Amino acid sequence: MTMPASRVERVGVFCGARPGARPQHLRLATEFGEALAQRGTGLVYGAGGVGIMGAVADAVLDAGAPVTGVIPRQLYEREQPDESRTEVIVVETMHERKALMYRLAVGFAVLPGGLGTLDELLEVATWNQLGIHHKPLVLVNQGGFFDPLLTLLDNMVSDGFISQEERFVIQVASGVEEALDCLVGPEPRPERPTPPPVAASRTPVAPTAAT
């Protein structure tokens, strides 16, 4: 069943428009999209229909959750947005794309990608640092893809360029479900049926002796 788009919160996902060199990246994208939709949450992303971006969006759509893509006019042809199933918003500049994604999303997940992915990650982290917004941000570090970046962030702390508190604006999850717990809360569990009320005992109770 498709969810009503107007009633669904969206998580922003930053990731690559290329598939990467290892199949595990596309598998992660599909797993993340499916799990996101299962939480009753939609997607806002860069509107690309190829690479990691396309895999995430396809998985969310196939699971029945809404997808909003935001893309600059210059990249419209290159990244092949799927307008048949996706709401696509075309903007004029990369700055407008990022600002609108930041406004629409309740939080942000970062999957494997390249320079654009790093740009979006660090800008959201900076906006959190400056108090422009306070939205959760998490790296999905399945397979250790982001380990070199985490080492760099730790070096920034040890060399005095960011505080420990600022470092942990960028949260880290080793898997999909852990990442979603950081963004939208634990996965809802099925409600247990309410047990029938216990019938009152009809056995007479002897009065206690007065003391």
Side-chain angles (χ1 to χ4, degrees), residues 151-164 167:
T151 298
L152 174 61
L153 292 171
D154 291 338
N155 286 343
M156 289 178 178
V157 174
S158 61
D159 277 2
F161 288 101
I162 61 175
S163 69
Q164 194 75 25
R167 158 67 184 83

Side-chain angles (χ1 to χ4, degrees), residues 35-52:
L36 183 68
Q38 288 168 3
R39 300 280 182 117
T41 306
L43 169 71
V44 59
Y45 80 125
V50 293
I52 305 296

Side-chain angles (χ1 to χ4, degrees), residues 34-134:
E34 291 172 348
L36 183 68
Q38 288 168 3
R39 300 280 182 117
T41 306
L43 169 71
V44 59
Y45 80 125
V50 293
I52 305 296
M53 282 202 282
V56 173
D58 285 345
V60 174
L61 288 165
D62 290 346
V67 171
T68 298
V70 184
I71 190 166
R73 195 173 304 279
Q74 183 182 2
L75 297 181
Y76 185 82
E77 293 298 329
R78 182 193 305 178
E79 297 189 0
Q80 304 171 29
D82 179 5
E83 296 185 80
S84 64
R85 300 192 295 166
T86 306
E87 176 190 22
V88 176
I89 303 172
V90 180
V91 295
E92 293 302 320
T93 68
M94 291 291 288
H95 292 296
E96 290 179 35
R97 178 199 222 179
K98 291 187 289 185
L100 183 55
M101 288 179 66
Y102 302 165
R103 181 168 63 83
L104 293 176
V106 297
F108 306 93
V110 186
L111 304 184
L115 296 178
T117 302
L118 285 177
D119 171 55
E120 292 162 331
L121 158 67
L122 294 175
E123 185 162 315
V124 167
T126 301
W127 283 28
N128 265 328
Q129 180 190 34
L130 297 176
I132 296 173
H133 64 60
H134 298 283

